[in-house]
Amino acid sequence: MRYPLTRVLLKMVVVGFYRVHTGLILTLFLFFFINFFYTSVLNQTHLTKDQIILNALKLVLTSVSDPVGMLLLFVIWLLYTLKSSKYVASQLKLAPYQFLFYSSNALARSKQLQTWFIVQLIISIPIITLGLFAVTIGVAFDHYLISFLIPFYLVALIFSNALYFTHLVNNLANEDQKTTVPQFIRHWPKPFFSLFLYEIIDSRKLTFGVTKFISGLIISLIYVLFLDLQSDIRIPELLIISVILTHMVLIYQANEFDLTYLRFARNFPYSPSRLYCQFIQFFLLLLVPEFVWVFLVYDPITSTTILLLGLSTALLFRTLLYRLAPGMSNYLRLIFCLFLVLSLAILFGGLWVLIVSNLICSFFLLYFHRFKSLDS
């Protein structure tokens, strides 16, 4: 009890363990004591009370001195220890216990190990009680091997659990940092604009996969249905804004990611033009498959025009989020309305008007948001 950490762990871990496992402990005790002291012996009616107790003690001695009985007892103690280690490990992974990583690590490993040994020792009081009972019977009837093996085995169990808990607490942060990002990608450079791309690789693969599947489906359908109209430049223009529309969920999530995890970036000395260039880099990488397909199918001039239209539309979709109230529904309604307007403008030949207006609107939305965020 010398360390405050010990007292904290006793209150949080040990009390919680006994509160949850009271039924198990009572069952364990009842099983042993009923088995040893209330098992009737044939024709015991002629025995006195002291002789019945002596028989019960001999039954205990026979059980623990027999290899099978000893093995059964050791297995039960091992299961109890594993049960307690499973409970403590599950508690340590909960958010209220995360402070242990930052507080207990201030102590030396030996002191942490000592603390966890005390915790596990108190958790193991039920099996220690049974062990002491068996040792006492062994000593009383001159079975010293039992008296040696049982304490050694119990100390080994308690020490191994203390060692495990110490290791677990010192690696809580590493457990949180587990990621599904492939090893070779982790060593790639991570410029600021690419952070959400790594987030996609790590935890948004399903959203990304569905988006790309729908995007590929739209490209295939439009390309096949309007095969006879491939010379009409409006077809790839409608196609690219449809592709951008399929990415609106990812665009929305990118904004949420910035608001949640990159709030500190508001203090970075980035000018609006630099942030705008970072958005362009992000969308160029996000839309690589679609842009590659466009350049493979159409001539360079048409492909560049389509790329500019898609890029400017994506930038507009992204920066519009700065002017909207939080919530996906508002964003979806606005984007669908805007998509209809853009489609009509394309059908009436307003390609360059759209590209220029999209770029101007998106830049000024970012510009005003940047200064607003600096003032707040």
Side-chain angles (χ1 to χ4, degrees):
M1 312 292 177
R2 292 173 53 196
Y3 306 116
L5 178 63
T6 309
R7 292 195 293 271
V8 170
L9 292 177
L10 290 179
K11 290 180 181 177
M12 295 183 68
V13 178
V14 177
V15 173
F17 174 80
Y18 280 113
R19 186 181 296 126
V20 173
H21 296 91
T22 302
L24 171 69
I25 295 167
L26 288 177
T27 304
L28 187 66
F29 270 89
L30 288 175
F31 169 76
F32 278 101
F33 283 96
I34 288 176
N35 184 49
F36 292 138
F37 292 98
Y38 293 94
T39 302
S40 299
V41 179
L42 291 176
N43 298 322
Q44 70 173 5
T45 52
H46 64 285
L47 299 176
T48 63
K49 187 175 180 180
D50 292 338
Q51 288 174 324
I52 292 174
I53 294 175
L54 183 60
N55 282 334
L57 295 176
K58 286 181 178 179
L59 181 62
V60 175
L61 182 65
T62 303
S63 300
V64 298
S65 62
D66 183 76
V68 177
M70 195 76 169
L71 180 62
L72 178 64
L73 194 61
F74 278 16
V75 169
I76 291 174
W77 287 342
L78 176 63
L79 291 176
Y80 181 90
T81 306
L82 291 175
K83 183 73 176 174
S84 64
S85 68
K86 183 181 179 183
Y87 170 81
V88 176
S90 64
Q91 295 298 303
L92 291 179
K93 292 175 182 175
L94 298 177
Y97 290 82
Q98 296 297 306
F99 75 94
L100 291 173
F101 171 74
Y102 303 100
S103 56
S104 66
N105 288 356
L107 297 172
R109 284 290 181 106
S110 58
K111 292 180 179 177
Q112 294 180 46
L113 186 61
Q114 181 182 341
T115 298
W116 281 111
F117 187 86
I118 294 171
V119 170
Q120 183 60 40
L121 186 72
I122 298 176
I123 287 177
S124 303
I125 283 178
I127 60 173
I128 293 174
T129 305
L130 291 174
L132 289 176
F133 177 67
V135 168
T136 304
I137 300 299
V139 171
F141 289 92
D142 299 329
H143 282 72
Y144 298 107
L145 181 61
I146 298 171
S147 306
F148 171 75
L149 286 179
I150 290 177
F152 179 79
Y153 182 70
L154 288 175
V155 169
L157 288 178
I158 295 170
F159 182 77
S160 60
N161 255 15
L163 205 60
Y164 172 62
F165 296 150
T166 305
H167 170 76
L168 199 61
V169 168
N170 283 274
N171 291 277
L172 285 178
N174 294 336
E175 290 287 328
D176 292 340
Q177 291 170 2
K178 283 183 178 177
T179 175
T180 57
V181 176
Q183 185 68 30
F184 69 96
I185 294 181
R186 296 180 200 178
H187 302 293
W188 288 3
K190 299 176 180 60
F192 184 71
F193 73 88
S194 68
L195 294 180
F196 185 68
L197 294 175
Y198 285 99
E199 170 71 6
I200 290 175
I201 296 172
D202 185 31
S203 58
R204 301 178 194 269
K205 289 188 279 293
L206 180 61
T207 307
F208 180 77
V210 171
T211 299
K212 289 301 177 185
F213 174 76
I214 297 174
S215 175
L217 194 63
I218 288 176
I219 290 173
S220 304
L221 286 175
I222 293 179
Y223 189 74
V224 172
L225 291 175
F226 298 97
L227 190 60
D228 298 335
L229 299 175
Q230 291 304 312
S231 58
D232 190 345
I233 186 66
R234 292 177 297 179
I235 300 302
E237 292 169 5
L238 288 171
L239 187 148
I240 197 64
I241 64 168
S242 301
V243 165
I244 301 302
L245 183 69
T246 63
H247 286 74
M248 61 183 175
V249 174
L250 284 177
I251 293 172
Y252 181 84
Q253 290 181 344
N255 183 64
E256 292 293 305
F257 179 79
D258 288 355
L259 293 175
T260 305
Y261 299 107
L262 303 180
R263 294 180 68 86
F264 62 89
R266 291 187 304 174
N267 298 320
F268 285 2
Y270 289 164
S271 64
S273 57
R274 183 173 177 177
L275 286 174
Y276 199 71
C277 291
Q278 290 181 344
F279 278 171
I280 292 174
Q281 292 172 297
F282 168 74
F283 283 117
L284 285 175
L285 286 176
L286 182 66
L287 298 166
V288 160
E290 288 81 3
F291 288 151
V292 168
W293 179 85
V294 168
F295 275 89
L296 289 174
V297 173
Y298 298 99
D299 60 85
I301 295 177
T302 304
S303 300
T304 305
T305 308
I306 295 170
L307 184 146
L308 288 174
L309 177 63
L311 201 56
S312 64
T313 306
L315 289 166
L316 182 63
F317 285 5
R318 175 68 176 84
T319 51
L320 277 173
L321 285 163
Y322 294 144
R323 310 301 297 179
L324 292 177
M328 176 72 90
S329 57
N330 293 332
Y331 179 64
L332 293 179
R333 282 195 290 268
L334 177 63
I335 292 300
F336 276 116
C337 293
L338 191 59
F339 174 76
L340 294 177
V341 173
L342 294 177
S343 301
L344 289 174
I346 288 173
L347 291 175
F348 285 98
L351 171 65
W352 285 104
V353 175
L354 278 183
I355 293 174
V356 174
S357 59
N358 286 349
L359 291 174
I360 292 174
C361 289
S362 56
F363 180 78
F364 277 102
L365 285 170
L366 175 64
Y367 182 85
F368 289 117
H369 171 74
R370 179 63 176 167
F371 281 100
K372 182 180 176 182
S373 63
L374 289 177
D375 293 337
S376 60

